[in-house]
Amino acid sequence: MPSINPFDNAMHNLRQSGSALGLTDEQIEKIGMPDAILERELSITMDSGEVKVFRGYRVQFNNARGPYKGGIRFHPEANLDEVKTLAFLMAIKCAVVDIPMGGGKGGIQVNPKELSAAELERLSRAWVRAFFKDIGPEKDIPAPDVYTNPTIMAWMADEYSKLAGKPTPATFTGKPISAGGSQGRDTATGQGAYYVLEALAAHRGIVPRETTVAVQGFGNAGYHIAQILHDAGYRVVAVSDSRGAIYDKRHQGMDPKNIMLTKEEKGEIGGCYCAGTVCDCENYQKITNDALLELDVDILVPAALENQITADNVERVQADIILEVANGALTPEADAALFARNRVVVPDSLANAGGVTVSYFEWFQNTYAESWEEEKVQRKLREVMVTTFDAIWKRALDQGLTLRQAAYHIALERIAAAMQKRHS
Ligand code: GLU
C-alpha cells in the first residue's frame, strides 16, 4: 500500500483549485509555503526524577489575513509533516469562514495518557517556554486539538502571562471559562457541524428520526456531535474511540451520554450498551474502527484522525453524506470517488470550522474585555456556519464543483486578495 503523504494531498487540492481560479504558479507556490517551521526540544523532569526530552512543533502559514491561528495536538505520532499539513488547512479554514486570521498548528510527540497530571502540566508549560517568542495575541494564537483540552490551555496561558509579565489571556483560546474562556467553546466544533448539517438537511429533505449516523472518534469533536445529533432526534447507531466501536445492530439509536459513562467506568466503549445499571450485550456489538466506516448508515462522521477514507476503502463506504469533522479524514482519491457516486462530502474546512470560529469569538472577547452570553455565541456561530454553507453550496452547484473545491475557491480568493493588498 503506498503511504499517504498528507501534505501532498493538501497541495494537490491547492493546485487544483488555485489553477481553476486562474491564480499564477507564483501565487500558488506562495500560499503553499509555510512562513515558519519550528521544531524544538522540550525537556521536563518526570515524577521519577528522570529528565525526558520530547519534540515540540509549531508551523505557521500565511498571515496576510491576520495572526496565525490553530491548535496544538499531543499525540504519539505527531510529526512535522502532519503539523505542517494541518497548519496549512487552518489557513484555508479561517479564510473559508472569513475569520481574520492565518494558519497555525503545533504539537508534541507524546502519548499524554502515559503522563501524570503534573508531568502533563510541566510539558505544556515547556512548550510555551520554547515557543514564547513566536506566539502572542497579535502574532499566533494556539488552541486545543487532538488530546489537548481547556485545562492545558489554562496552564499554557498562565505560563505565557508569567513570561510576558502581564495577564495575556488572548494568546490562547479554548480556555476554561474561569480562565477567560468563551461560553460555547467546548461544544463549538460539534455545534458548528450540526448547524451545517441542519442547512444541508433542508436541501436534502432529511428527517432526523429516520436518519442513521455513525461517528468515528469520541474526543471533544466526536462526542459532542454525537450527543447533539442524538438530542436532535437522529439515530446514532455507532460510535468509536481509538480502541474500537460499539454498533447498535437494530438501528434504534444510542444516547452518547450513556456510552461516555461506560467508557469512564471501564476505560473503553466495549460491546454492551448500558443505560443506568441495565446493560444489553445482545443487540449491540463491538466492531473495529475500519468496520464503522463501512456501515450501512445515512450519515458518516469521521471525527478522529486524518486519512481514514482513502482509495483503499472508499468503494465500501455506504453513507450518503460524509461530514468530515476530523481534519484531513478523506484523501483526494476518496473525494473524487464519492463525488462520482453522487455522495455529499462536507469538507473539514466547513464541517469543523465551528471550533476556530468560537476561538475567534474568545480572542475578540479577551482583546476587547467583553463577555458574551451563550445565546449570543450560538447566534453568531450559527450565522457564520449557515452563511458559509450557503455560499459553498451555491458555488458548488453553479460550477459543478465538490463542496471541498468550492470551499477552496472561496478561501483562495480571500487569501490571494489579502496578499495582493499587502503588496500594493
Ligand atoms: N484544533 C481546532 C481546529 O483544527 C481548533 C483550532 C482553533 O480553535 O484555533 O480547527
Side-chain angles (χ1 to χ4, degrees), residues 91-111:
I92 297 294
K93 194 188 307 185
C94 290
V96 165
V97 280
D98 213 3
I99 284 171
M101 292 184 169
K105 191 71 86 177
I108 304 181
Q109 198 177 78
V110 61
N111 184 352

Side-chain angles (χ1 to χ4, degrees), residues 170-344:
T171 307
F172 288 87
T173 60
K175 302 179 295 296
I177 307 275
S178 59
S182 175
Q183 297 290 343
R185 177 62 186 86
D186 53 346
T187 55
T189 307
Q191 196 65 58
Y194 178 70
Y195 291 141
V196 169
L197 186 62
E198 228 184 7
L200 176 64
H203 286 279
R204 308 272 295 192
I206 292 170
V207 180
R209 67 174 187 285
E210 293 167 7
T211 305
T212 53
V213 187
V215 181
Q216 184 199 38
F218 216 48
N220 176 278
Y223 173 67
H224 285 119
I225 185 68
Q227 190 64 52
I228 293 166
L229 287 171
H230 168 81
D231 293 344
Y234 286 85
R235 292 188 202 191
V236 177
V237 302
V239 305
S240 72
D241 65 9
S242 59
R243 293 159 171 234
I246 180 166
Y247 174 48
D248 165 8
K249 290 190 267 183
R250 291 178 305 173
H251 281 198
Q252 293 197 331
M254 302 176 286
D255 186 340
K257 267 196 297 294
N258 291 334
I259 302 168
M260 185 56 100
L261 287 175
T262 306
K263 182 175 156 72
E264 278 166 1
E265 224 173 80
K266 306 218 164 80
E268 63 170 326
I269 282 174
C272 301
Y273 179 68
C274 305
T277 51
V278 184
C279 290
D280 180 344
C281 304
E282 215 158 89
N283 295 300
Y284 300 84
Q285 188 184 351
K286 184 170 177 172
I287 61 170
T288 63
N289 261 294
D290 288 347
L292 177 144
L293 298 172
E294 298 169 14
L295 287 174
D296 184 12
V297 290
D298 300 306
I299 303 177
L300 176 62
V301 187
L305 291 170
E306 52 271 20
N307 293 334
Q308 296 303 300
I309 306 179
T310 68
D312 289 332
N313 63 355
V314 67
E315 292 311 324
R316 296 189 298 276
V317 169
Q318 301 188 61
D320 291 320
I321 294 172
I322 292 104
L323 194 57
E324 191 188 26
V325 168
N327 290 310
L330 279 79
T331 63
E333 294 80 10
D335 260 349
L338 290 164
F339 188 58
R341 276 159 57 201
N342 277 326
R343 306 300 157 105
V344 178

Side-chain angles (χ1 to χ4, degrees), residues 58 68-73 86 89-90 93-94 101 104-105 141-146 148 173-174 185 189 325-327 348 352-360 362:
R58 188 72 183 169
Y68 308 111
K69 181 87 195 83
I72 303 174
R73 66 173 50 184
L86 295 167
L89 292 178
M90 285 307 302
K93 194 188 307 185
C94 290
M101 292 184 169
K105 191 71 86 177
I141 305 125
D145 197 81
V146 172
T148 50
T173 60
R185 177 62 186 86
T189 307
V325 168
N327 290 310
D348 49 6
N352 72 27
V356 75
T357 300
V358 178
S359 271
Y360 169 63
E362 181 175 334

Side-chain angles (χ1 to χ4, degrees), residues 40 122-137 154-169 171-172:
R40 304 215 166 110
R122 288 198 285 276
L123 188 59
S124 305
R125 290 179 183 274
W127 189 94
V128 177
R129 286 196 298 277
F131 295 100
F132 175 68
K133 290 222 155 51
D134 308 294
I135 59 174
W155 292 331
M156 289 185 155
D158 180 63
E159 190 67 23
Y160 186 91
S161 297
K162 273 190 193 151
L163 293 169
K166 56 175 192 230
T168 323
T171 307
F172 288 87

